[in-house]
Amino acid sequence: MRRPGEHAGEQLDIRDAGAVRACVERIRPAVVVHAAAGRDRDDWRTNADGAAHVAVACAAAGVRLVHVSSDAVFSGRAVDYAESAEPDPIHRYGASKAAAETAVRAVVPTAAVVRTSLIVGGGDGGHETLTHDLVAGRVTGALFTDQIRRPVHVDDLADALLELAAGDYAGVLNVAGADVLSRYDLGVLVARRDGLDPAAVPAARAAEVRPGLPTDVRLRTRLRGAGEFMTAAF
């Protein structure tokens, strides 16, 4: 296993364009994998402006850029989305991610833009943590049965990002799992894997609880599905 590099502990506020530019100029990385996002999903300054700042700094320094985006850029009206699909977001978070994509592709045409979906497999991902908290009663709410995605394993996503970092692929690439699952179905798989009672996972419909959210969004992809990697993790 490689030891962390000398800059592994660096902290940077990507909302500060000058700080981003100075950091890139000082470190001179071979590649930047931009996966940062605001703690508040509606944080436009981080999600959109921050991504633009990173892109401008990379362009100025001639640094390879791999930008991580999301299936949230889509409304779900078309259901099935190829890499050529144009974003049509219907909520602020999706709009911020679409704006980030636009900035990155305009400023750094050689960048790889990775659209991904629900990320699981490490045990402490957002969906996994939420499932545990719901079952334990630490939070209230439910997992939606009508929000359909193609979940990806964190290791598969990381491998793809490393491969893209070392290559010269330019443009959009979908990196998601092959299996089509609802957020509720994925929560049931998490519960079974982790020894929880699947019957204790609460269910609801997004259309009734939070109308206006994207429901069925499927990225066309080639990676292994949740049915494979969640079962393998038992």
Side-chain angles (χ1 to χ4, degrees):
M1 180 181 295
R2 294 184 178 181
R3 300 179 62 182
E6 61 178 307
H7 300 292
E10 294 268 352
Q11 295 189 14
L12 176 64
D13 185 349
I14 62 172
R15 297 171 298 180
D16 184 336
V20 175
R21 184 173 59 253
C23 181
V24 173
E25 289 176 351
R26 174 170 52 85
I27 296 175
R28 288 285 168 172
V31 61
V32 169
V33 177
H34 177 54
R39 290 186 178 181
D40 178 355
R41 287 171 62 86
D42 291 339
D43 184 352
W44 190 278
R45 288 187 62 209
T46 300
N47 297 337
D49 297 344
H53 297 158
V54 172
V56 168
C58 287
V63 173
R64 168 79 172 152
L65 175 60
V66 178
H67 174 79
V68 180
S69 188
S70 166
D71 59 13
V73 301
F74 297 120
S75 66
R77 296 187 186 99
V79 178
D80 186 60
Y81 292 92
E83 284 141 352
S84 59
E86 293 296 329
D88 64 337
I90 56 174
H91 55 83
R92 185 171 174 82
Y93 173 67
S96 72
K97 298 299 286 186
E101 283 192 11
T102 299
V104 168
R105 299 185 70 186
V107 176
V108 190
T110 58
V113 175
V114 175
R115 290 175 181 158
T116 190
S117 191
L118 294 177
I119 304 169
V120 294
D124 57 356
H127 196 83
E128 292 158 293
T129 300
L130 177 58
T131 299
H132 278 254
D133 287 345
L134 286 169
V135 171
R138 290 187 289 267
V139 299
T140 58
L143 298 181
F144 296 138
T145 58
D146 57 342
Q147 271 202 325
I148 311 299
R149 300 292 187 271
R150 292 184 185 269
V152 64
H153 195 286
V154 63
D155 290 347
D156 294 342
L157 176 58
D159 287 345
L161 294 176
L162 287 173
E163 184 174 343
L164 288 166
D168 58 2
Y169 181 89
V172 175
L173 186 69
N174 289 342
V175 180
D179 292 347
V180 175
L181 295 172
S182 71
R183 286 182 177 269
Y184 171 76
D185 290 334
L186 182 59
V188 168
L189 287 179
V190 170
R192 288 175 178 165
R193 183 197 67 186
D194 296 345
L196 306 177
D197 180 7
V201 179
R205 296 185 70 249
E208 298 171 353
V209 179
R210 295 186 62 188
L213 290 179
T215 51
D216 199 341
V217 179
R218 311 180 188 191
L219 299 179
R220 293 182 190 173
T221 188
R222 310 166 187 81
L223 298 182
R224 61 179 175 156
E228 177 182 349
F229 62 71
M230 294 296 280
T231 301
F234 272 49

